[in-house]
């Protein structure tokens, strides 16, 4: 038995799960399954991420009345199913899409005993980066506090803790014993440990510990990394889940019951209290504290994000296998290695598609990659198709180069149609930024796994992945020659990327400042880049918007990924490099 | 001389012009050119549309500090250039992108005598449909009123008149003699005459006449129709510009000077008055009232919107010519006729690309279209390319059908690369909705002129265009056979659209309710559609999101066009038809 019997105990379970947008039935099953796991672990309270029942983000589905009505019905049915599953005693917090007279709501419900005992509507609606919530949802200003086993629990949703002056301050003033923050917070590279620091700061503001539970898994271009955690009121990290895996984080907490009573209008909110159970749990022996997961090192974190995004895109869209072109170069080699890690070598089909300009080493490197990874390998020369197009249409120069890339794209799409594979595009972020790709050629595909990975990071990831394999005593998947040779599109004799582009190290530096850093021409000159280089790069970037829009979706690892949240005009007379 | 010398006169010019996003230099030239026209007409006041200096919408350019700084510099320079151009006495109202410590602003400036005499920052920021302004701009709450020739002028921007409780009420309370509303308001089919009714209602609220000036022309997927107008305080339509053309609407107004003085905090705004000139104009003979343009009838309006969108997309993106596949079917025939109207037959290249499944009448109808319109016509059979792909890869069924569409797409792209034409995709909205197209096949192109036109409207437009030609004594451009024959993709022997799709009349009815009307499965059954039909259509629509995203941009004529403002998840487990 425990010593400090005066302090109520709570066994908390954070269910870091992988929901699929729109799949109300599947997501409800997920909630039942993981609640049951929580209850089997003795948890009193099981908390799920933001909009777990609908998946996140639902985009325009939020505006469909029939979908919102189905979400509300699914929530009610879920409350009943939890009782049937023997989880009626547990308190379960579930994010869902609500809708009332004011409009759609990003909501969280507290379920207990077969019914909904409280609902909270997200107050702060983010409308930047990947978020369009102000477009879709109506903000809430009611703040429920639910007493469970004598402890007062507040619920907030994601952005509510990222902006000042929201519900956390009101909860602090009203008084709570624990704050539950449910999230759909996408992975972003090199954010340092901002989440943990933020949660600690808000816990202090709420004068209560905070439990932060996040989605995990890929949804279109977003990758959720999990990283659920619990922080004490004074900022101590009590528990942390591993990234990029589904996980149930179970933690026993001793919480001083404050006997709070604040309600009514507080800090712009209407605070409403509900009592589920006044009686604290009978004292019990707590579980050992769960291990505190360490955030992954940079390359491992990026690799995991890319693998997670790819695996979920394949699986959630119902594909059983993928196909990609293997040129022998670094990009396709890294995408192949990612695909093998994501869906297994047996589900990966690599196709070498040599033309008359393909070098011997390219074909050899592609075959070597296949040998090392065990993926299915085939060779489909494109010379005959290219010859017909070139001769019939009298193609020369760029038109002749592009038709080669396009015959490869057509070959991959035909194999996809014939065999049901998802086609992977192998372009990287640097190419996408400057438009160094062929629309309907190498840009063909349903998913582009390294779309947000700059070329220099592609090399870095290749070396890291090979080193990891060596550490594990496995064969490094990527042929050394693919990493070390000078990059070439091989669309004409002796062609090298360096003929058309600046050195990749330098190019990525300029792009990082221009795209991610949003610096203008003058800032870039001030940063020491040569004017001719800056003008050349900016001209390419400014003119490539149409190509970028036609590129398949891919996992986002930076704030300024090229994709749905970054919208530049296509018809655009602005030339950044032309102004001082 | 005039009789009523006591009532100040004002000669107002509304410059309904076609700006290009990002082209600060070109747009500034446009403002100078049209101000000069206004001054030559004796106008005292020349008013330009919303963000005319930057073009609209600037999308993510709004967030670039270097672009906002360039916009501000361009505005200052413009004020000086207007003096140099002999327009220093005129008062000129110009929309532009401003930026201050709070962030980017959708702004309008009043220019006079070489400087900026007042700035207004848009208050209501629309964030629905095609608009994302809450994402990009900070709302303003200062309201300048400028006295010009003894008359008090207020300025508001677009959405400010579409929402209740904005600056119009404050202007009414403070007191003004004329309200100028500057707009970037896109065309939308069958809106009836909501603009005119709204302007009349707001004029009553402001207790002053209102002059409404709108952009004209195409910008990516938007088409602005102009339709600038002036309404008296009691709702009388005083002047109206024709749609879809640049136009200077010059109107003499007799305005009772109210000698208003209200300022300071009014209705949530900080009202600030500035005096440019107290002295009314010496009485002069007014110009005859300009003709009040009638809105175009439905088909003419749609046709003009499509032609305008296409012409501006071609020209603003620097293309000299277009190329498209001519199948002999109705879609490509209508796109060809639109292209000829937009850029002239000499700049239109039609390519017949028969396969072994192409019928004699298809080839003949394509040639006949070319003969009637005078466009450049060539024949490029695809049988050889298709054979190589089919034999080498062992293609059958859908894979064999798709490779035909793709060899056509590759042919058009190769001709584009070789000769510099813009490729036009010929798919219609019905196909796009249900995914009845081949990605990288018939979906290839830089612009899709009938992307937002349902199949039944394609036929209707074809008949209308032919009838118009006959009225003018010209040859109808579209062969009767292309209109009357049953539609077929001709990708296998004897194939008809009717094998794969419901009857187009019925299909378009369901789609209109499901897509435009946002009705759910239950509503559709209630509307009397058969369950099997609804299930079949909804299943196709729900599964086609990826294809729709890969489609080229095209002119938007409905609120629910498939394009950038309609965002459904790709990975989407929601099946509308599966719920009751």
């Amino acid at each position: 038995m425990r010593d400090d019997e005066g302090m109520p105990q709570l066994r908390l379970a954070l269910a870091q799960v992988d929901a699929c947008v729109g799949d109300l039935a599947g997501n409800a099953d997920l909630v039942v399954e993981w609640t049951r796991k929580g209850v089997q672990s003795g948890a009193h309270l099981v908390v799920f991420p933001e909009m777990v029942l609908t998946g996140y983000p639902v985009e325009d589905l939020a505006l469909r009345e029939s979908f919102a009505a189905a979400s509300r019905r699914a929530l009610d049915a879920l409350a009943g199913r939890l009782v049937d599953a023997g989880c009626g005693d547990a308190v379960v917090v579930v994010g869902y899409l609500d809708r009332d007279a004011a409009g759609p709501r990003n909501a969280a419900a507290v379920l207990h005993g077969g019914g909904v005992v409280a609902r909270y509507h997200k107050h702060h609606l983010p409308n930047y980066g990947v978020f369009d919530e102000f477009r879709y949802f109506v903000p809430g200003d009611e703040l429920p506090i639910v007493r469970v086993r004598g402890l007062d629990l507040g619920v907030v949703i994601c952005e509510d803790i990222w902006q000042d002056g929201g519900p956390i301050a009101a909860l602090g003033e009203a008084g709570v014993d624990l704050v539950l923050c449910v999230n759909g917070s996408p992975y972003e590279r090199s954010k340092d440990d901002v989440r943990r620091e933020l949660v600690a700061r808000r816990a202090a503001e709420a004068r209560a510990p905070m439990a932060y539970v996040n989605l995990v898994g890929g949804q279109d271009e977003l990758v959720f990394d999990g990283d659920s955690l619990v922080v004490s009121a004074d900022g101590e990290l009590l528990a942390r889940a591993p990234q990029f895996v589904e996980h149930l984080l179970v933690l026993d907490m001793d919480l001083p019951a404050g006997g709070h009573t604040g309600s009514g209008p507080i800090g712009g909110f209407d605070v409403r209290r509900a009592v589920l159970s006044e009686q604290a749990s009978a004292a019990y022996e707590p579980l050992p504290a769960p291990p505190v997961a360490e955030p992954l090192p940079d390359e491992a974190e990026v690799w995991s994000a890319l693998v997670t995004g790819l695996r979920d895109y394949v699986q959630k869209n119902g594909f059983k296998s993928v196909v990609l072109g293997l040129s022998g170069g670094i990009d396709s080699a890294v995408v192949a290695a990612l695909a093998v890690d994501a869906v297994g070598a047996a589900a990966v089909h690599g196709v070498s598609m040599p033309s008359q300009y393909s070098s011997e080493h390219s074909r050899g490197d592609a075959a070597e990659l296949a040998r090392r990874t065990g993926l299915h390998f085939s060779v489909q020369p494109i010379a005959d198709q290219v010859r017909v197009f070139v001769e019939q249409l009298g193609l020369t120069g760029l038109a002749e180069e592009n038709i080669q890339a396009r015959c490869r794209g057509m070959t991959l799409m035909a194999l996809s149609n014939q065999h049901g594979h998802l086609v992977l595009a192998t372009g990287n972020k640097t190419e996408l930024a400057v438009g160094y790709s062929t629309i309907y050629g190498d840009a063909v595909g349903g998913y582009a796994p390294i779309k947000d990975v700059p070329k220099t990071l592609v090399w870095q990831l290749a070396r890291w992945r090979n080193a990891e394999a060596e550490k594990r005593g496995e064969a490094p998947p990527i042929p050394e020659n693919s990493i070390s040779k000078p990059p070439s599109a091989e669309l004409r004799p002796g062609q090298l990327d360096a003929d058309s582009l600046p050195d990749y190290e330098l190019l990525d530096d300029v792009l990082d400042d221009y795209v991610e850093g949003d610096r203008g021409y003058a800032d870039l000159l001030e940063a020491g880049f040569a004017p001719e280089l800056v003008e050349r790069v900016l001209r390419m970037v400014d003119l490539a918007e149409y190509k970028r829009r036609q590129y398949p979706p891919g996992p986002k690892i930076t704030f300024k990924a090229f994709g749905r949240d970054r919208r530049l005009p296509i018809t655009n007379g602005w030339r950044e490099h032309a102004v001082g």
Side-chain angles (χ1 to χ4, degrees), chain A residues 254-265:
Chain A
D254 296 327
L255 295 166
H260 309 284
T261 56
S263 70

Side-chain angles (χ1 to χ4, degrees), chain A residues 119-386:
Chain A
R119 295 172 201 267
Y120 170 70
H121 295 153
K122 190 174 187 176
H123 178 71
H124 283 308
L125 300 173
N127 211 61
Y128 52 83
V130 298
F131 304 110
D132 281 302
E133 295 202 10
F134 189 81
R135 185 180 180 95
Y136 293 125
F137 303 116
V138 178
D141 52 11
E142 290 180 7
L143 201 45
I145 298 175
V146 181
R147 185 163 293 180
V148 174
R149 296 171 186 260
L151 296 164
D152 291 314
L153 312 181
V155 179
V156 297
I157 305 177
C158 205
E159 187 75 4
D160 285 332
I161 68 168
W162 290 84
Q163 294 185 34
D164 286 324
I168 294 294
L171 288 176
E173 201 179 326
V176 286
D177 299 315
L178 175 66
V179 179
L180 310 172
C181 181
V182 308
N183 302 271
S185 174
Y187 168 65
E188 192 183 314
R189 190 182 175 209
S190 308
K191 269 211 290 197
D192 300 320
D193 213 358
V194 286
R195 272 190 201 133
R196 177 192 163 164
E197 287 158 26
L198 180 70
V199 172
R201 186 150 60 85
R202 294 300 179 196
E205 199 177 335
R207 298 176 224 173
M210 184 179 292
Y212 176 103
V213 59
N214 192 17
L215 287 168
V216 71
Q219 172 63 41
D220 289 359
E221 299 212 297
L222 301 188
V223 183
F224 300 99
D225 58 336
D227 191 27
S228 302
L229 50 89
V230 184
V231 165
S232 72
D234 55 6
E236 191 193 346
L237 181 63
L238 303 176
R240 186 168 210 164
Q243 291 171 284
F244 303 109
V245 288
E246 288 194 303
H247 187 82
L248 190 74
L249 188 66
V250 182
L251 178 74
D252 270 309
M253 301 186 80
D254 296 327
L255 295 166
H260 309 284
T261 56
S263 70
I266 297 177
F269 290 86
D270 179 9
V271 176
R272 298 179 178 190
R273 289 184 181 268
V275 175
L276 269 186
S277 45
E278 283 284 9
Q279 187 62 46
S281 305
Y284 61 86
E285 195 58 42
L287 296 170
V292 174
E294 283 289 323
L296 294 167
D298 183 39
E299 288 102 339
E301 198 181 56
V302 171
W303 191 269
S304 301
L306 301 179
V307 166
T308 300
L310 173 53
R311 178 166 47 213
D312 268 8
Y313 196 86
V314 172
Q315 291 179 352
K316 291 180 180 177
N317 286 299
F319 287 95
K320 305 283 184 221
S321 54
V322 300
V323 65
L324 74 161
L326 297 183
S327 70
I330 185 65
D331 294 326
S332 59
V334 165
V335 171
L338 285 165
V340 168
D341 284 0
V343 297
V348 180
H349 298 258
V351 188
S352 167
M353 295 172 284
S355 75
Q356 57 169 318
Y357 302 126
S358 298
S359 59
E360 255 328 299
H361 66 77
S362 292
R363 305 176 196 213
D365 293 341
E368 172 65 12
L369 172 81
R371 201 190 55 74
R372 289 175 178 217
T373 56
L375 56 75
H376 302 280
F377 184 66
S378 60
V379 179
Q380 293 292 355
I382 56 163
D384 292 346
Q385 294 91 316
V386 169

